[in-house]
Amino acid sequence: MLISKEQPIGVFDSGFGGLTVARALIDLLPSEHVVYVGDTGRYPYGPRPASEIRNFSNEIVSYLVEQHGVKMVVVACNTASSFALEDLRDRFDVPIVGVIEPGLRAALRATKNHSVGVIGTVGTIASGAYQHSAAALDREATVHCYACPGFVEFVERGEFDSDQVHVLAERLLGPLVSAKVDTLLLGCTHYPFLARTIADVMGRDVLLISSAEETAFDVKAVLETTGAANPSPDRGVHHFLSSGDAGWFAEMGGRLLGPELAHAEHVHFGA
Ligand code: DGL
């Protein structure tokens, strides 16, 4: 397949959370064109069966490759990375970068007491993806993985530090406080929006890590090794699509990502 350096990078998530990764990508690689798909018509992915998440991911990547000619794809969703990454890599010729390994690598590098926490959706944690990657990357550290059902729904409603989210965080994060982790990986792309609440509950000494920046560094490395980085001195074009209400996506997404997201288009997937 012929890849031109001017082709965009495709990024997708079940909704708004992957905008944390898009933000990091735009900041690190300002001349790259980006096409972002938020599958808000079918979110949340967290509680869905693996086969469904694989089908959704496959459909979105086909769309990005066929309709937008993307030169690579970033799976900016931990749940989709957990269940679909290998399958996508087998099916498509373009490089596919996920968020599991980059985040975990950063957390394992940062921990001083070798006790790391990972929080994610029910699907991500139940898939065992973080547990398997941790065993492969570092046998010395103990990685405590916990699901945080309910966090995503608060973020999608734009509710980041209410009393209710605080109460839920105290209940869900209690075991990690007891385990005395010194580093906590936010293993769901939505969770960085709850960072203040999570930091309040975990305590100031616990380092919170978001996979967004590390994933952007992985993308940069792939572009450099494949010779596909866009050499243009101009700023890239950023295109946002939502399978749900595009007006709401632009309004809410703009608050989360910043001025690059002033407009979103609707895209229809599946049934
Ligand atoms: N974006 C998903 C993730 O990172 C969370 C939201 C969802 O459940 O769809 O796991």
Side-chain angles (χ1 to χ4, degrees):
M1 189 166 57
L2 205 59
I3 297 277
S4 118
K5 298 178 187 199
E6 283 75 32
Q7 285 167 250
I9 298 172
V11 182
F12 80 92
D13 177 41
S14 58
F16 296 102
L19 292 173
T20 54
V21 179
R23 178 74 268 158
L25 268 182
I26 293 170
D27 291 341
L28 187 68
L29 303 164
S31 54
E32 295 295 341
H33 305 305
V34 173
V35 181
Y36 180 98
V37 171
D39 198 6
T40 43
R42 302 187 293 195
Y43 102 93
Y45 281 11
R48 288 183 184 273
S51 57
E52 199 165 35
I53 293 166
R54 274 196 281 274
N55 288 343
F56 290 176
S57 302
N58 185 27
E59 194 180 7
I60 296 171
V61 176
S62 298
Y63 166 79
L64 286 168
V65 169
E66 286 160 21
Q67 303 297 318
H68 293 273
V70 297
K71 62 184 173 186
M72 70 182 293
V73 172
V74 183
V75 185
C77 172
N78 287 262
T79 311
S81 293
S82 300
F83 289 116
L85 198 63
E86 292 315 314
D87 190 49
L88 294 172
R89 284 179 173 155
D90 286 345
R91 280 171 192 265
F92 296 95
D93 289 339
V94 295
I96 315 253
V97 171
V99 285
I100 304 275
E101 252 200 56
L104 198 53
R105 246 190 281 122
L108 291 170
R109 229 179 14 240
T111 183
K112 299 225 172 3
N113 71 359
H114 304 290
S115 184
V116 171
V118 177
I119 52 175
T121 64
V122 171
T124 296
I125 300 303
S127 76
Y130 274 107
Q131 294 87 330
H132 292 142
S133 280
L137 287 172
D138 180 351
R139 296 194 171 273
E140 210 189 324
T142 306
V143 178
H144 307 264
C145 298
Y146 283 89
C148 290
F151 275 9
V152 165
E153 286 74 6
F154 275 109
V155 172
E156 296 274 337
R157 284 203 298 273
E159 203 176 320
F160 303 147
D161 50 12
S162 64
D163 288 347
Q164 284 86 343
V165 73
H166 210 280
V167 168
L168 181 65
E170 278 186 341
R171 182 162 66 72
L172 295 173
L173 301 176
L176 290 163
V177 175
S178 304
K180 298 196 177 356
V181 300
D182 73 347
T183 307
L184 179 62
L185 173 59
L186 308 180
C188 170
T189 48
H190 285 59
Y191 296 176
F193 298 116
L194 301 177
R196 192 142 45 119
T197 297
I198 294 171
D200 278 351
V201 173
M202 294 305 298
R204 296 286 153 205
D205 295 340
V206 174
L207 183 67
L208 302 189
I209 301 219
S210 141
S211 39
E213 281 78 22
E214 288 295 319
T215 303
F217 284 120
D218 266 30
V219 171
K220 184 168 190 267
V222 169
L223 292 175
E224 282 169 2
T225 49
T226 56
N230 190 343
S232 166
D234 301 328
R235 256 189 106 66
V237 175
H238 311 119
H239 190 171
F240 297 90
L241 298 121
S242 157
S243 59
D245 179 339
W248 167 241
F249 190 84
E251 190 190 319
M252 172 79 176
R255 274 192 266 153
L256 300 173
L257 182 111
E260 290 87 351
L261 207 179
H263 172 75
E265 268 170 55
H266 181 74
V267 57
H268 178 74
F269 292 119

